[in-house]
Amino acid sequence: MNTHTPMVASVARRMGRAAALAAVLGSAAHAQSTPSHVELILDASGSMFTRLPDGQTRIAAAQAVLTDLIGRLPADPNLNVGLRVYGARTVASEPGACEDSALTLPMQGLNRQALLQTVNTTRPRGATPIAYSLTQAANDFPTGAGKKLIVLVTDGQESCRGDLKAALAAFKTRGIDVDLRIVGIDLDARAQQSFAGVGTFVNARSVPELASALGSAVQTVAAPAQTTVPVTVTLTSGGQPVTSGPTVTFTGSVGGVGTPLNNTGGTYGASVLPGAYTATVKTATDTQSFGGLSVSIGAANTFTFDVTPVSGVQLSVTPTPPVAGGSVRVAYSGAPAGAKNWVTIARRSDPDRAYLDYVYVQTPSGDVTLAVPDDESEYEARYHLANPDGSTRVIGRSAPFTPKRAAVSVTAPKTAAAGSRIQVGWQGPNNVGDYVTIVPKGAADGVYTDYFYTRDANPGTLTAPVQAGDYEVRYNNERSGRVLATAPLSLSANTYAVQGPDTAVAGSEITVSWTGPGNPRDYVTIVKQGAPVGSYLTYFYTRDGNPGRLKTPVAPGQYELRYSTEATSPNPTLASRPITLTGATYSLQAPREGRAGESIQIRWTGPGHPDEYVTIVPKGAPVGTYTVYFYTRGGNPGTLKLPATPGEYEIRYSTEAASPNPTLFSVPITVK
């Protein structure tokens, strides 16, 4: 489906807005002397069907503004623009949703039509794996010279527990200096805060603000041109040209008053800024809207509208009324032929170009399943006829229906120990994306900690936060972000402790016992004294036993044993105790010389931990280098075969406990 986005409800002067945007963007771009690579990342999570304050859905606003932006990008041979989309393939509650991110168009030149087609056929479905998408994006860029820019358009914060700052390390690993611009769509304060310190962030609450933010994001690399381009329209009815009578007006989906097209001998024409449009054709007896029009630089921008009256397609909706946030079955009949016709639902008061969930249809009759918003407004199903030029018009409507919210409740204990696991029962619609979580009392809508989807369990199990205090158990809808039911929960402080030796030999193995809830994601680790919260070296999960075994670091010094949990990020320290590591004694006894290819015996002194080994390497080889080797766990002495090439070498006692594997002791040997 081509662009069929709703227009902003408020009317503003399009040319005035374009002039304001031009002031932000600067003058038309000139050709770059070095390559520029721009990757657009579009959020297609299920919440993108939520409406902005002006009534526009977030996805429609993003599609309209991106269409304007793509249509105006300069025709520069050094400009390379790609598109990555996340959340468009897998429903948020299904496995794989947190890896649902795809590079739909690589950064190879400017394929304007493919970009427009992909942007405007994207259907929101899933989760918000921002960190994963950024990590993948690091592999999308070349490593050569030139400017590199990411423009991420999102309506929410990371929903897959990813670390945004850590994700940017993937670019540093590849030696890529990238300018990250994040454009939020109507984000709440908590979501905005989640992007603090990550790239350059702007929040937009309306289509004009979104257009301005996107223009500002790309202006240093590819400032959009502000030159108008001609559009041409011809009309037909019953297969014959219509040369007089109707009027044709083009109205931008980003907003503004319409531009009338002049009729010259049956051909209607005008000059407009590139972007997304809807055409309105008025006759003495009828008014028809043709949505989904993309006008861009370098394209023909020629359209033909068939204004032949079409018998209305019959549509019926079941169940009536449907559950808000659930789904409906839409049956249709009497439909004309067409490979890209589609059925959608929209508010009854929405303009024809508005849409929510949709499905393509090709048969004269059939039925489809569509998602219903978590909203008790009046809706209708609509049948859209797709024209060869990409425009669409509504030729059938169902009777209006009003979704009704189901009764929702959660059942949970009134008190529990912080960090413990509790059972929570629920009653509700069990819609796609419904989930139960625990949050601090009074937290904003959409906040969550540990959670389970209602479709997975009833009752379900939740791990309570580790801090004592007043909380709420909530039944939420992921798509709308609305809290459907709550139950109070008071958490009392839990008891945590770790017990271990006061001193130990560095590189040895010690026994550590612990006190705590022993949740599946709790663990015990050893770290440098005073290490940042969330740090860890070797560790064991409490679920694996009490006591547990830890391998101590090979460097002597002051350390801490810590009881931590992965339930929150950064992983908090719930209990700790100091431990002093003393230096271990390491030595090797081996011949000082030997013949190439012969085997020699080597005696060693050391802790003999399972990951320690003895190897032979060229003299002065980098730390961590190894050739033939034996593990100390295999016996004392051990056997090594000398290299076939004569020269100066070292026999090294090393360990895999750190990376690169440190050399703990070495002796020279000459191979003859």
Side-chain angles (χ1 to χ4, degrees):
M1 164 168 35
N2 282 321
T3 323
H4 43 272
T5 54
M7 185 183 68
V8 177
S10 61
V11 176
R13 297 191 60 83
R14 178 172 178 79
M15 294 307 294
R17 181 168 295 154
L21 182 59
V24 175
L25 301 178
S27 60
H30 58 275
Q32 302 291 326
S33 57
T34 57
S36 295
H37 291 82
V38 180
E39 180 162 292
L40 305 173
I41 301 181
L42 177 60
D43 182 344
S45 60
S47 59
M48 286 288 280
F49 275 130
T50 305
R51 293 176 183 266
L52 291 169
D54 60 17
Q56 177 96 285
T57 61
R58 295 171 179 176
I59 183 61
Q63 288 170 326
V65 172
L66 283 170
T67 296
D68 279 22
L69 177 69
I70 293 166
R72 300 177 194 178
L73 288 174
D76 183 345
N78 285 314
L79 177 60
N80 301 276
V81 182
L83 176 66
R84 176 173 283 276
V85 178
Y86 63 77
R89 298 177 299 181
T90 306
V91 174
S93 57
E94 294 179 350
C98 286
E99 291 78 43
D100 180 6
S101 179
L103 180 66
T104 57
L105 285 171
M107 288 173 283
Q108 297 174 357
L110 174 58
N111 190 337
R112 208 183 304 267
Q113 294 308 310
L115 285 167
L116 291 170
Q117 174 72 10
T118 306
V119 164
N120 291 303
T121 57
T122 295
R123 175 183 177 183
R125 291 174 59 85
T128 311
I130 298 176
Y132 177 80
S133 296
L134 290 175
T135 302
Q136 297 301 303
N139 296 316
D140 299 341
F141 283 86
T143 56
K147 295 181 179 179
K148 298 175 177 65
L149 170 70
I150 289 178
V151 181
L152 169 64
V153 181
T154 181
D155 81 325
Q157 65 192 86
E158 168 72 32
S159 70
C160 293
R161 305 181 188 273
D163 186 331
L164 299 185
K165 292 181 180 179
L168 297 181
F171 291 91
K172 294 182 179 179
T173 300
R174 296 197 66 218
I176 295 174
D177 184 13
V178 67
D179 181 7
L180 173 60
R181 304 296 182 100
I182 300 171
V183 180
I185 304 177
D186 196 25
L187 301 187
D188 60 30
R190 184 173 185 267
Q192 293 182 47
Q193 183 60 35
S194 71
F195 294 108
V198 181
T200 302
F201 174 78
V202 177
N203 191 43
R205 301 192 72 245
S206 66
V207 174
E209 288 181 7
L210 184 58
S212 177
L214 284 174
S216 297
V218 302
Q219 65 174 326
T220 59
V221 175
Q226 297 303 309
T227 304
T228 60
V229 295
V231 295
T232 302
V233 171
T234 56
L235 305 178
T236 64
S237 178
Q240 299 299 315
V242 178
T243 59
S244 63
T247 62
V248 181
T249 304
F250 264 43
T251 305
S253 296
V254 172
V257 296
T259 300
L261 274 61
N262 297 318
N263 184 359
T264 306
T267 299
Y268 295 79
S271 290
V272 298
L273 288 169
Y277 286 87
T278 294
T280 302
V281 180
K282 289 186 177 182
T283 65
T285 59
D286 192 16
T287 299
Q288 296 189 44
S289 294
F290 295 83
L293 306 176
S294 295
V295 176
S296 60
I297 295 173
N301 299 320
T302 300
F303 306 95
T304 299
F305 302 145
D306 183 359
V307 296
T308 306
V310 179
S311 299
V313 177
Q314 302 299 312
L315 297 105
S316 61
V317 174
T318 55
T320 303
V323 175
S327 61
V328 292
R329 198 77 174 167
V330 180
Y332 66 92
S333 60
K340 286 293 185 178
N341 299 338
W342 46 284
V343 177
T344 186
I345 62 172
R347 280 183 182 168
R348 193 180 184 195
S349 58
D350 282 341
D352 285 358
R353 48 202 166 274
Y355 71 97
L356 292 171
D357 195 14
Y358 66 87
V359 175
Y360 289 120
V361 294
Q362 299 181 14
T363 57
S365 62
D367 55 75
V368 298
T369 300
L370 297 174
V372 176
D374 180 22
D375 176 28
E376 292 185 315
S377 299
E378 192 174 49
Y379 286 84
E380 66 183 12
R382 297 174 178 175
Y383 189 99
H384 288 251
L385 175 65
N387 299 317
D389 59 10
S391 63
T392 65
R393 57 172 168 157
V394 176
I395 61 170
R397 305 173 194 272
S398 72
F401 61 90
T402 303
K404 298 297 181 184
R405 292 191 171 116
V408 183
S409 64
V410 287
T411 305
K414 296 185 181 302
T415 61
S420 64
R421 289 170 66 78
I422 63 172
Q423 292 281 307
V424 179
W426 56 268
Q427 176 187 353
N430 194 23
N431 290 327
V432 173
D434 284 1
Y435 66 98
V436 178
T437 187
I438 301 175
V439 299
K441 183 179 179 180
D445 291 0
V447 173
Y448 65 91
T449 58
D450 193 31
Y451 65 91
F452 66 85
Y453 284 106
T454 57
R455 74 171 198 166
D456 293 333
N458 191 8
T461 301
L462 292 176
T463 300
V466 297
Q467 300 298 326
D470 292 328
Y471 290 82
E472 296 175 353
V473 179
R474 289 181 176 177
Y475 184 122
N476 288 2
N477 180 266
E478 189 173 54
R479 285 180 170 174
S480 68
R482 196 170 67 88
V483 178
L484 305 180
T486 67
L489 173 65
S490 178
L491 297 180
S492 58
N494 213 325
T495 301
Y496 297 91
V498 284
Q499 298 85 37
D502 294 326
T503 63
V505 175
S508 65
E509 192 172 69
I510 60 173
T511 299
V512 181
S513 57
W514 52 269
T515 302
N519 291 323
R521 300 168 67 191
D522 293 357
Y523 63 93
V524 175
T525 187
I526 184 169
V527 298
K528 275 281 192 181
Q529 191 174 69
V533 172
S535 302
Y536 66 92
L537 296 173
T538 58
Y539 64 91
F540 66 84
Y541 284 105
T542 57
R543 63 175 181 249
D544 294 332
N546 193 2
R549 302 284 292 174
L550 278 181
K551 170 69 183 296
T552 63
V554 296
Q558 301 301 314
Y559 289 82
E560 295 177 53
L561 299 173
R562 290 181 178 176
Y563 185 123
S564 297
T565 180
E566 297 172 334
T568 59
S569 181
N571 301 350
T573 301
L574 304 173
S576 70
R577 64 162 291 143
I579 181 172
T580 300
L581 299 184
T582 59
T585 300
Y586 298 93
S587 67
L588 293 168
Q589 296 85 45
R592 289 292 185 262
E593 62 180 41
R595 293 190 305 275
E598 79 168 315
S599 295
I600 61 172
Q601 285 200 326
I602 301 170
R603 288 194 168 274
W604 52 269
T605 302
H609 194 267
D611 58 11
E612 293 174 354
Y613 63 94
V614 176
T615 187
I616 184 168
V617 298
K619 183 178 179 180
V623 172
T625 303
Y626 67 93
T627 58
V628 294
Y629 63 91
F630 66 83
Y631 283 106
T632 56
R633 64 176 182 253
N636 197 358
T639 301
L640 281 183
K641 185 176 182 179
L642 297 181
T645 303
E648 299 301 319
Y649 290 83
E650 295 177 55
I651 299 173
R652 293 180 177 176
Y653 188 127
S654 297
T655 179
E656 297 170 337
S659 181
N661 301 351
T663 300
L664 305 173
F665 194 84
S666 70
V667 295
I669 184 171
T670 300
V671 176
K672 295 186 175 181

